[in-house]
Amino acid sequence: MADLHPVKCETFDTTTNVNTDPKGFHRHVDTFKETDFGLYMARGADHPRFGYLESWLIPDLKLRVSIFHFRKGAEEEQDFYVDVVDITHKDGIWQTRDLYIDLICNIGKPVDVWDIDELSAATAAGILPAEDAEKAIEATLAAVEGITRHSDNISLWLSSRGINLTWAESVKLSTIE
């Protein structure tokens, strides 16, 4: 049975360098960088499994591409974690609405698609409008096809679309409080 929960919303305020997570916690952001195709964010994380997070919001593709910097012993087999999201932005305020589906990308391996059951359950329960579910499925199919056609490499696919993501050369994991 899918975990039925409301749509998770997140705010990225480039005017105050604050990321407000879905639970309402305000997180200081080390770096925001706006480009013609999206927004980059880098910040520490006091999560028990990871200590730093980098994300790119790409509105045209309805994707949030992230690298979680895991703590020793908590590593996951993933090069990139991709949320399918609806993204809006105005006057330096970016907002995401999670559309439930996640993609786990490991370069050279087929994409894993997660949480289709959550999308289905949320749509059936009326939590997510059918139009948003359709957007989520279309964005998922486009991403999986693009990544697959580019040797199972999300970076190659995005680059072929003129989207060249950059990442920190090194990060310092935040401590757990």
Side-chain angles (χ1 to χ4, degrees):
M1 183 77 187
D3 176 29
L4 194 58
H5 60 81
V7 174
K8 296 177 183 175
C9 297
E10 198 163 347
T11 301
F12 305 80
D13 187 339
T14 65
T15 67
T16 61
N17 278 0
V18 172
N19 168 218
T20 305
D21 73 15
K23 294 179 181 173
F25 291 105
H26 295 255
R27 312 286 185 184
H28 171 75
V29 173
D30 296 332
T31 305
F32 275 127
K33 179 171 62 174
E34 292 187 74
T35 69
D36 58 341
F37 61 79
L39 176 71
Y40 169 78
M41 178 201 70
R43 68 167 176 81
D46 60 359
H47 194 276
R49 297 181 47 75
F50 62 94
Y52 207 84
L53 171 63
E54 295 180 87
S55 291
W56 275 98
L57 306 181
I58 308 170
D60 287 350
L61 300 178
K62 297 196 173 314
L63 300 178
R64 175 183 180 174
V65 180
S66 298
I67 294 178
F68 289 89
H69 296 272
F70 290 99
R71 299 183 188 285
K72 188 173 175 85
E75 294 88 0
E76 295 276 339
E77 187 181 333
Q78 64 185 35
D79 293 324
F80 301 97
Y81 190 97
V82 181
D83 295 283
V84 177
V85 292
D86 196 23
I87 304 167
T88 58
H89 58 92
K90 182 178 180 180
D91 300 328
I93 311 293
W94 294 65
Q95 295 181 310
T96 61
R97 289 177 56 249
D98 187 85
L99 299 177
Y100 294 93
I101 299 174
D102 303 311
L103 309 175
I104 308 305
C105 299
N106 288 292
I107 294 177
K109 295 182 179 177
V111 177
D112 284 328
V113 179
W114 288 6
D115 300 331
I116 294 283
D117 58 336
E118 286 185 20
L119 173 76
S120 178
T123 305
I127 294 170
L128 187 72
E131 301 80 35
D132 287 343
E134 185 176 349
K135 290 180 196 175
I137 292 167
E138 288 172 357
T140 301
L141 292 173
V144 170
E145 178 187 27
I147 294 165
T148 302
R149 289 184 184 273
H150 288 85
S151 304
D152 294 314
N153 186 324
I154 190 171
S155 298
L156 288 177
W157 170 57
L158 292 172
S159 183
S160 78
R161 298 180 57 95
I163 300 171
N164 295 302
L165 305 185
T166 56
W167 304 97
E169 291 184 26
S170 65
V171 299
K172 182 176 182 209
L173 302 185
S174 294
T175 57
I176 302 173
E177 297 180 22

